[in-house]
Amino acid sequence: MSTATKSKNGKVASSNGKATMKQDPIVAETGLPTEANNLYTETVSTMLHAAELMNLPRYLRLILAQPKNEIMVHFPVQMDNGQFKLFKGYRVQHNNALGPYKGGLRFHHDVHLDDVKSLAFLMTMKCSLVGVPYGGGKGGIKVNPREHSASEMERIVRRFTAAIAHNIGPDYDIPAPDVGSNSQHMAWIADTFSFLSEIGGDNPAAVITGKPVSYGGSLGREKATGQGVVDTLVEMLPELKLKPEKCTFSVLGFGNVGSWSAKIFQEKGAKLTAAADHTGFIINEKGIDADDLAKYVSSKGGVAGYPKASKCSKDDFYKAKVDVFIPAALEQMIKEPEAHMLNCKVVAEGANAPTTPAGEKVMLDRGIEVLPAILCNAGGVTVSYFEWVQNKTFQAWDLEKVDAELNKHMVKAAHKTRAARGQYKCDLRTAAYVAALQRLAEAYEVRGIFP
Ligand code: NAD
């Protein structure tokens, strides 16, 4: 429902009217892109809306509006046919006021600097909200991993690591997996870094998280983001008068986050009835077994052709009547048209920035509750933090400990978000930003700005 709140400086801010708000002057002052639908400007504007509501000091809004460092590298790699190809890689370090930069590496043919900047920015907010001692970073390689053999990918990943080795480190910037990257890639990065760096410390493998368990990874990391999505749902659904064991749900994107969210939500008794990914859309109102679908996707590369459900159109997928919709694919996939089609009560954002401000406005006006990504998908970075702690202290936690500690962090972040919503009478996304900004503001207040 729409609510309007008066901020301390007297301006009226609509808690769900971000799409209709005037652009914050900091957008122009910090030179953010002005073209319509620019992901970075959209993401930062949402934070500026929360900052305005809570009257965040202007210097902090300025600092957070741009990343500290934007690193772009080009590097040649020999292909299996003997030819050389030039690749572009990124590492954006948004903010490290709360601790080392932290964030995933995206391997995708369509990754751009502004996407990486947005994702790095979201990591600063997410780490602050979920209470881990990290700042925000993100990176990636413009590459389609599906088009390369394992040996080509190994050379690409190792050469990228060499290109950024002096800009990452276990106490400075710690990457992790994201779309298109996996634990094998993380293992190659850790191994390459251990040979190249003089700043690796006692355990150079701590430079990266999401590693295989056999090489310094943590139990529970692979499923962590999906586990966190479900922990958030279990915590938040009762106030919406929904019981997890009675819920039906659909999932957009059936990779790491989507499949684990589905498998774990199913364990709680919820029923998956529709799924989609880059290969197609499927539906079965009687229920789709998430474990069986995940096995099918691992062997066939996507949901298309799954024999125990029917193929459907994109529109039918979005219009499927469910209690919970979990977007777990890419950014900006729920724009106004998709938001109008959705027939659900709750959107649990497994993906980063899956909803545009205009799409969110439609959903909130229609009474759909949106559990924002910086809360809902913070499980991945939280267990990455546990992996890093285990690496640095030469420990190996059991799965029960990982799951219990993760749940504590997720529930606490949900409480902080609820408290901010109560204080500022705003939607949950704005509230999550407020809670994240409060911790950053406290840190900056005691640190001050050098010199
Ligand atoms: P992944 O590569 O394992 O899966 C991505 C999924 O998105 C695949 O199923 C793919 O088919 C689907 N997809 C891609 N393009 C699509 C399209 N045009 N239409 C429909 N589906 C499409 O990646 P992931 O790690 O599961 O990440 C998914 C999202 O979750 C991303 O936004 C990522 O930033 C976010 N995230 C991931 C983690 C993590 O730990 N992996 C943590 C937090 C957030």
Side-chain angles (χ1 to χ4, degrees), residues 78-81 143-157 185 188:
Q78 193 164 31
M79 300 290 97
D80 292 343
N81 65 6
V143 62
N144 182 351
R146 293 188 192 98
E147 284 177 359
H148 293 279
S149 65
S151 61
E152 284 181 355
M153 272 318 289
E154 177 168 358
R155 291 194 292 278
I156 294 166
V157 168
H185 301 140
W188 288 330

PDB file of all heavy atoms in Angstrom, residues 78-81 143-157 185 188:
ATOM      1  N   GLN A  78      45.202 -17.820 -25.070  1.00  0.00           N
ATOM      2  CA  GLN A  78      45.257 -18.715 -26.226  1.00  0.00           C
ATOM      3  C   GLN A  78      44.105 -19.720 -26.191  1.00  0.00           C
ATOM      4  O   GLN A  78      43.860 -20.363 -25.157  1.00  0.00           O
ATOM      5  CB  GLN A  78      46.587 -19.470 -26.238  1.00  0.00           C
ATOM      6  CG  GLN A  78      46.844 -20.172 -27.560  1.00  0.00           C
ATOM      7  CD  GLN A  78      48.305 -20.580 -27.719  1.00  0.00           C
ATOM      8  OE1 GLN A  78      48.981 -20.880 -26.747  1.00  0.00           O
ATOM      9  NE2 GLN A  78      48.782 -20.605 -28.949  1.00  0.00           N
ATOM     10  N   MET A  79      43.387 -19.819 -27.302  1.00  0.00           N
ATOM     11  CA  MET A  79      42.271 -20.767 -27.404  1.00  0.00           C
ATOM     12  C   MET A  79      42.799 -22.150 -27.799  1.00  0.00           C
ATOM     13  O   MET A  79      43.941 -22.288 -28.210  1.00  0.00           O
ATOM     14  CB  MET A  79      41.247 -20.274 -28.445  1.00  0.00           C
ATOM     15  CG  MET A  79      40.637 -18.910 -28.127  1.00  0.00           C
ATOM     16  SD  MET A  79      39.506 -18.963 -26.699  1.00  0.00           S
ATOM     17  CE  MET A  79      40.545 -18.421 -25.370  1.00  0.00           C
ATOM     18  N   ASP A  80      41.928 -23.154 -27.708  1.00  0.00           N
ATOM     19  CA  ASP A  80      42.353 -24.526 -28.016  1.00  0.00           C
ATOM     20  C   ASP A  80      42.845 -24.659 -29.464  1.00  0.00           C
ATOM     21  O   ASP A  80      43.664 -25.515 -29.783  1.00  0.00           O
ATOM     22  CB  ASP A  80      41.192 -25.513 -27.796  1.00  0.00           C
ATOM     23  CG  ASP A  80      40.826 -25.631 -26.318  1.00  0.00           C
ATOM     24  OD1 ASP A  80      41.653 -25.222 -25.478  1.00  0.00           O
ATOM     25  OD2 ASP A  80      39.717 -26.116 -26.013  1.00  0.00           O
ATOM     26  N   ASN A  81      42.344 -23.788 -30.363  1.00  0.00           N
ATOM     27  CA  ASN A  81      42.762 -23.878 -31.765  1.00  0.00           C
ATOM     28  C   ASN A  81      44.052 -23.110 -32.059  1.00  0.00           C
ATOM     29  O   ASN A  81      44.446 -22.947 -33.212  1.00  0.00           O
ATOM     30  CB  ASN A  81      41.632 -23.380 -32.692  1.00  0.00           C
ATOM     31  CG  ASN A  81      41.349 -21.888 -32.486  1.00  0.00           C
ATOM     32  OD1 ASN A  81      42.075 -21.206 -31.739  1.00  0.00           O
ATOM     33  ND2 ASN A  81      40.314 -21.378 -33.135  1.00  0.00           N
ATOM     34  N   VAL A 143      32.567 -12.840 -20.852  1.00  0.00           N
ATOM     35  CA  VAL A 143      32.815 -14.154 -21.477  1.00  0.00           C
ATOM     36  C   VAL A 143      31.569 -15.019 -21.295  1.00  0.00           C
ATOM     37  O   VAL A 143      30.891 -14.922 -20.275  1.00  0.00           O
ATOM     38  CB  VAL A 143      34.041 -14.863 -20.827  1.00  0.00           C
ATOM     39  CG1 VAL A 143      33.826 -15.142 -19.342  1.00  0.00           C
ATOM     40  CG2 VAL A 143      34.388 -16.168 -21.532  1.00  0.00           C
ATOM     41  N   ASN A 144      31.283 -15.837 -22.295  1.00  0.00           N
ATOM     42  CA  ASN A 144      30.199 -16.809 -22.135  1.00  0.00           C
ATOM     43  C   ASN A 144      30.830 -18.157 -21.818  1.00  0.00           C
ATOM     44  O   ASN A 144      31.377 -18.817 -22.707  1.00  0.00           O
ATOM     45  CB  ASN A 144      29.374 -16.899 -23.425  1.00  0.00           C
ATOM     46  CG  ASN A 144      28.208 -17.860 -23.272  1.00  0.00           C
ATOM     47  OD1 ASN A 144      28.118 -18.572 -22.272  1.00  0.00           O
ATOM     48  ND2 ASN A 144      27.321 -17.878 -24.250  1.00  0.00           N
ATOM     49  N   PRO A 145      30.778 -18.582 -20.534  1.00  0.00           N
ATOM     50  CA  PRO A 145      31.473 -19.823 -20.156  1.00  0.00           C
ATOM     51  C   PRO A 145      30.982 -21.028 -20.950  1.00  0.00           C
ATOM     52  O   PRO A 145      31.725 -22.000 -21.124  1.00  0.00           O
ATOM     53  CB  PRO A 145      31.136 -19.997 -18.667  1.00  0.00           C
ATOM     54  CG  PRO A 145      30.522 -18.734 -18.210  1.00  0.00           C
ATOM     55  CD  PRO A 145      30.009 -17.999 -19.412  1.00  0.00           C
ATOM     56  N   ARG A 146      29.731 -20.971 -21.435  1.00  0.00           N
ATOM     57  CA  ARG A 146      29.186 -22.128 -22.176  1.00  0.00           C
ATOM     58  C   ARG A 146      29.879 -22.309 -23.525  1.00  0.00           C
ATOM     59  O   ARG A 146      29.772 -23.359 -24.139  1.00  0.00           O
ATOM     60  CB  ARG A 146      27.684 -21.958 -22.407  1.00  0.00           C
ATOM     61  CG  ARG A 146      26.861 -22.008 -21.131  1.00  0.00           C
ATOM     62  CD  ARG A 146      25.375 -22.038 -21.426  1.00  0.00           C
ATOM     63  NE  ARG A 146      24.611 -21.794 -20.221  1.00  0.00           N
ATOM     64  CZ  ARG A 146      24.097 -20.631 -19.863  1.00  0.00           C
ATOM     65  NH1 ARG A 146      24.246 -19.574 -20.648  1.00  0.00           N
ATOM     66  NH2 ARG A 146      23.437 -20.474 -18.741  1.00  0.00           N
ATOM     67  N   GLU A 147      30.576 -21.245 -23.998  1.00  0.00           N
ATOM     68  CA  GLU A 147      31.209 -21.332 -25.324  1.00  0.00           C
ATOM     69  C   GLU A 147      32.652 -21.802 -25.248  1.00  0.00           C
ATOM     70  O   GLU A 147      33.350 -21.807 -26.263  1.00  0.00           O
ATOM     71  CB  GLU A 147      31.177 -19.948 -25.997  1.00  0.00           C
ATOM     72  CG  GLU A 147      29.813 -19.597 -26.531  1.00  0.00           C
ATOM     73  CD  GLU A 147      29.779 -18.200 -27.129  1.00  0.00           C
ATOM     74  OE1 GLU A 147      30.814 -17.496 -27.103  1.00  0.00           O
ATOM     75  OE2 GLU A 147      28.694 -17.825 -27.599  1.00  0.00           O
ATOM     76  N   HIS A 148      33.144 -22.075 -24.032  1.00  0.00           N
ATOM     77  CA  HIS A 148      34.557 -22.432 -23.904  1.00  0.00           C
ATOM     78  C   HIS A 148      34.744 -23.800 -23.263  1.00  0.00           C
ATOM     79  O   HIS A 148      33.968 -24.199 -22.378  1.00  0.00           O
ATOM     80  CB  HIS A 148      35.292 -21.365 -23.071  1.00  0.00           C
ATOM     81  CG  HIS A 148      35.360 -20.047 -23.770  1.00  0.00           C
ATOM     82  ND1 HIS A 148      36.293 -19.757 -24.742  1.00  0.00           N
ATOM     83  CD2 HIS A 148      34.564 -18.950 -23.674  1.00  0.00           C
ATOM     84  CE1 HIS A 148      36.087 -18.544 -25.206  1.00  0.00           C
ATOM     85  NE2 HIS A 148      35.043 -18.024 -24.578  1.00  0.00           N
ATOM     86  N   SER A 149      35.804 -24.499 -23.702  1.00  0.00           N
ATOM     87  CA  SER A 149      36.140 -25.789 -23.094  1.00  0.00           C
ATOM     88  C   SER A 149      36.667 -25.521 -21.683  1.00  0.00           C
ATOM     89  O   SER A 149      37.025 -24.385 -21.336  1.00  0.00           O
ATOM     90  CB  SER A 149      37.242 -26.464 -23.917  1.00  0.00           C
ATOM     91  OG  SER A 149      38.430 -25.683 -23.826  1.00  0.00           O
ATOM     92  N   ALA A 150      36.746 -26.581 -20.879  1.00  0.00           N
ATOM     93  CA  ALA A 150      37.249 -26.435 -19.503  1.00  0.00           C
ATOM     94  C   ALA A 150      38.671 -25.881 -19.521  1.00  0.00           C
ATOM     95  O   ALA A 150      39.031 -25.038 -18.697  1.00  0.00           O
ATOM     96  CB  ALA A 150      37.203 -27.778 -18.795  1.00  0.00           C
ATOM     97  N   SER A 151      39.491 -26.325 -20.476  1.00  0.00           N
ATOM     98  CA  SER A 151      40.887 -25.849 -20.460  1.00  0.00           C
ATOM     99  C   SER A 151      40.960 -24.388 -20.883  1.00  0.00           C
ATOM    100  O   SER A 151      41.770 -23.620 -20.356  1.00  0.00           O
ATOM    101  CB  SER A 151      41.778 -26.739 -21.328  1.00  0.00           C
ATOM    102  OG  SER A 151      41.323 -26.718 -22.664  1.00  0.00           O
ATOM    103  N   GLU A 152      40.104 -23.960 -21.820  1.00  0.00           N
ATOM    104  CA  GLU A 152      40.084 -22.526 -22.163  1.00  0.00           C
ATOM    105  C   GLU A 152      39.635 -21.707 -20.956  1.00  0.00           C
ATOM    106  O   GLU A 152      40.225 -20.668 -20.630  1.00  0.00           O
ATOM    107  CB  GLU A 152      39.146 -22.270 -23.352  1.00  0.00           C
ATOM    108  CG  GLU A 152      39.754 -22.695 -24.686  1.00  0.00           C
ATOM    109  CD  GLU A 152      38.849 -22.425 -25.895  1.00  0.00           C
ATOM    110  OE1 GLU A 152      37.689 -21.997 -25.716  1.00  0.00           O
ATOM    111  OE2 GLU A 152      39.322 -22.660 -27.025  1.00  0.00           O
ATOM    112  N   MET A 153      38.571 -22.170 -20.260  1.00  0.00           N
ATOM    113  CA  MET A 153      38.091 -21.430 -19.081  1.00  0.00           C
ATOM    114  C   MET A 153      39.188 -21.341 -18.019  1.00  0.00           C
ATOM    115  O   MET A 153      39.361 -20.319 -17.381  1.00  0.00           O
ATOM    116  CB  MET A 153      36.845 -22.099 -18.483  1.00  0.00           C
ATOM    117  CG  MET A 153      35.520 -21.666 -19.063  1.00  0.00           C
ATOM    118  SD  MET A 153      35.302 -19.897 -19.372  1.00  0.00           S
ATOM    119  CE  MET A 153      35.161 -19.200 -17.733  1.00  0.00           C
ATOM    120  N   GLU A 154      39.934 -22.440 -17.858  1.00  0.00           N
ATOM    121  CA  GLU A 154      40.996 -22.405 -16.841  1.00  0.00           C
ATOM    122  C   GLU A 154      42.030 -21.333 -17.186  1.00  0.00           C
ATOM    123  O   GLU A 154      42.439 -20.548 -16.329  1.00  0.00           O
ATOM    124  CB  GLU A 154      41.669 -23.789 -16.697  1.00  0.00           C
ATOM    125  CG  GLU A 154      42.811 -23.742 -15.689  1.00  0.00           C
ATOM    126  CD  GLU A 154      43.357 -25.094 -15.270  1.00  0.00           C
ATOM    127  OE1 GLU A 154      42.827 -26.130 -15.738  1.00  0.00           O
ATOM    128  OE2 GLU A 154      44.302 -25.098 -14.461  1.00  0.00           O
ATOM    129  N   ARG A 155      42.408 -21.251 -18.467  1.00  0.00           N
ATOM    130  CA  ARG A 155      43.412 -20.238 -18.857  1.00  0.00           C
ATOM    131  C   ARG A 155      42.828 -18.822 -18.698  1.00  0.00           C
ATOM    132  O   ARG A 155      43.513 -17.900 -18.290  1.00  0.00           O
ATOM    133  CB  ARG A 155      43.897 -20.487 -20.290  1.00  0.00           C
ATOM    134  CG  ARG A 155      44.743 -21.753 -20.414  1.00  0.00           C
ATOM    135  CD  ARG A 155      45.501 -21.810 -21.742  1.00  0.00           C
ATOM    136  NE  ARG A 155      44.633 -21.971 -22.904  1.00  0.00           N
ATOM    137  CZ  ARG A 155      44.133 -23.135 -23.336  1.00  0.00           C
ATOM    138  NH1 ARG A 155      44.402 -24.252 -22.678  1.00  0.00           N
ATOM    139  NH2 ARG A 155      43.375 -23.198 -24.415  1.00  0.00           N
ATOM    140  N   ILE A 156      41.550 -18.666 -19.071  1.00  0.00           N
ATOM    141  CA  ILE A 156      40.912 -17.340 -18.957  1.00  0.00           C
ATOM    142  C   ILE A 156      40.885 -16.896 -17.488  1.00  0.00           C
ATOM    143  O   ILE A 156      41.268 -15.770 -17.147  1.00  0.00           O
ATOM    144  CB  ILE A 156      39.465 -17.376 -19.538  1.00  0.00           C
ATOM    145  CG1 ILE A 156      39.500 -17.622 -21.046  1.00  0.00           C
ATOM    146  CG2 ILE A 156      38.710 -16.087 -19.222  1.00  0.00           C
ATOM    147  CD1 ILE A 156      38.142 -18.022 -21.662  1.00  0.00           C
ATOM    148  N   VAL A 157      40.460 -17.816 -16.619  1.00  0.00           N
ATOM    149  CA  VAL A 157      40.304 -17.474 -15.195  1.00  0.00           C
ATOM    150  C   VAL A 157      41.670 -17.193 -14.563  1.00  0.00           C
ATOM    151  O   VAL A 157      41.848 -16.227 -13.818  1.00  0.00           O
ATOM    152  CB  VAL A 157      39.564 -18.618 -14.461  1.00  0.00           C
ATOM    153  CG1 VAL A 157      39.643 -18.452 -12.959  1.00  0.00           C
ATOM    154  CG2 VAL A 157      38.104 -18.673 -14.906  1.00  0.00           C
ATOM    155  N   HIS A 185      36.118 -22.529 -10.628  1.00  0.00           N
ATOM    156  CA  HIS A 185      36.763 -21.265 -10.995  1.00  0.00           C
ATOM    157  C   HIS A 185      37.434 -20.637  -9.764  1.00  0.00           C
ATOM    158  O   HIS A 185      38.540 -20.098  -9.850  1.00  0.00           O
ATOM    159  CB  HIS A 185      35.736 -20.274 -11.582  1.00  0.00           C
ATOM    160  CG  HIS A 185      35.028 -20.783 -12.799  1.00  0.00           C
ATOM    161  ND1 HIS A 185      33.688 -20.584 -13.023  1.00  0.00           N
ATOM    162  CD2 HIS A 185      35.472 -21.491 -13.870  1.00  0.00           C
ATOM    163  CE1 HIS A 185      33.330 -21.144 -14.170  1.00  0.00           C
ATOM    164  NE2 HIS A 185      34.398 -21.702 -14.705  1.00  0.00           N
ATOM    165  N   TRP A 188      40.736 -22.297  -9.038  1.00  0.00           N
ATOM    166  CA  TRP A 188      41.813 -21.849  -9.939  1.00  0.00           C
ATOM    167  C   TRP A 188      42.308 -20.456  -9.530  1.00  0.00           C
ATOM    168  O   TRP A 188      43.500 -20.160  -9.607  1.00  0.00           O
ATOM    169  CB  TRP A 188      41.298 -21.816 -11.394  1.00  0.00           C
ATOM    170  CG  TRP A 188      41.095 -23.174 -11.999  1.00  0.00           C
ATOM    171  CD1 TRP A 188      41.788 -24.320 -11.703  1.00  0.00           C
ATOM    172  CD2 TRP A 188      40.137 -23.528 -13.010  1.00  0.00           C
ATOM    173  NE1 TRP A 188      41.311 -25.367 -12.470  1.00  0.00           N
ATOM    174  CE2 TRP A 188      40.306 -24.914 -13.289  1.00  0.00           C
ATOM    175  CE3 TRP A 188      39.169 -22.835 -13.717  1.00  0.00           C
ATOM    176  CZ2 TRP A 188      39.540 -25.605 -14.225  1.00  0.00           C
ATOM    177  CZ3 TRP A 188      38.403 -23.507 -14.653  1.00  0.00           C
ATOM    178  CH2 TRP A 188      38.580 -24.876 -14.901  1.00  0.00           C
TER     179      TRP A 188
END
